[in-house]
Amino acid sequence: MINVHVLNGPNLNLLGRREPDVYGRMTLADVERLVREKAGSLGVGITFRQSNHEGHLVDWIQEAGAQGAGVVINAGAYTHTSIALRDAIAGSAAPTVEIHLSNVHARESFRHHSLIAPVSVGVICGFGPMSYLLGLEAIHRVMVERAQEAKPSTH
Ligand code: CA2
């Protein structure tokens, strides 16, 4: 079975409770419900976590890699600052999709640069909670393709 760890960084625990004009009214628990629903239809196992602490996110990326799982990560503001997260993604075997609720490119210039994008398979941003579902679908397809490529050919 394909397993995906959906990781959420700092302040995302506040989702739905502050800044609804930027991030919408759904809570992180609502987003988790949507992700689990979609994962059920894809037959994907989900681990869904949030932390305000960089080191926890590093530990969880390493854990996903060690388990052969994929990662969908909304690293929040650490996206723009964290060499530690970049190194964790680069050093783990976990294929990773970076996601954001907001369109970071339509916001302040300090949000335009991601330290983790170059070590991720791809980036999805600007679709609100749907970014999580698109990220899940993307990582699922990448992992299915990679598993097929790894199989010895029958002819
Ligand atoms: O758009 C995204 O998903 C972000 O990753 C959200 C981060 C921000 O630093 C990134 O540039 C883009 C901020 C997460 C803070 O979430 C809050 C949610 C509700 C209220 C306050 C903060």
Side-chain angles (χ1 to χ4, degrees), residues 10-12 14-15 18-19 23 74 76-77 80 100-102 104 111:
N11 296 308
L12 285 158
L14 299 176
L15 203 60
R18 312 256 168 84
E19 300 191 57
Y23 299 114
N74 184 351
H80 318 297
H100 300 283
L101 292 155
S102 63
V104 286
R111 298 189 202 275

Side-chain angles (χ1 to χ4, degrees), residues 3-145:
N3 288 295
V4 174
H5 293 210
V6 180
L7 305 181
N8 295 279
N11 296 308
L12 285 158
N13 54 313
L14 299 176
L15 203 60
R17 303 182 211 287
R18 312 256 168 84
E19 300 191 57
D21 32 322
V22 182
Y23 299 114
R25 294 201 177 273
M26 272 201 183
T27 65
L28 197 60
D30 294 331
V31 174
E32 177 174 357
R33 217 170 296 121
L34 289 179
V35 165
R36 289 194 182 280
E37 215 173 274
K38 171 93 182 164
S41 73
L42 292 171
V44 168
I46 292 290
T47 299
F48 193 100
R49 288 165 161 165
Q50 187 275 332
S51 178
N52 293 329
H53 304 280
E54 195 175 14
H56 289 161
L57 296 162
V58 169
D59 288 344
W60 294 340
I61 291 163
Q62 290 183 6
E63 187 184 311
Q67 292 176 4
V71 169
V72 171
I73 186 165
N74 184 351
Y78 289 144
T79 304
H80 318 297
T81 63
S82 178
I83 298 170
L85 286 188
R86 181 198 180 104
D87 288 348
I89 294 167
S92 83
T96 297
V97 171
E98 173 187 339
I99 61 157
H100 300 283
L101 292 155
S102 63
N103 178 356
V104 286
H105 302 289
R107 302 182 64 194
E108 304 95 326
S109 58
F110 61 82
R111 298 189 202 275
H112 297 178
H113 188 246
S114 166
L115 289 178
I116 65 174
V119 292
S120 297
V121 180
V123 181
I124 294 166
C125 74
F127 297 96
M130 206 207 301
S131 292
Y132 284 77
L133 306 182
L134 295 170
L136 178 58
E137 192 164 337
I139 201 69
H140 173 249
R141 287 194 187 198
V142 166
M143 291 176 80
V144 167
E145 262 175 31

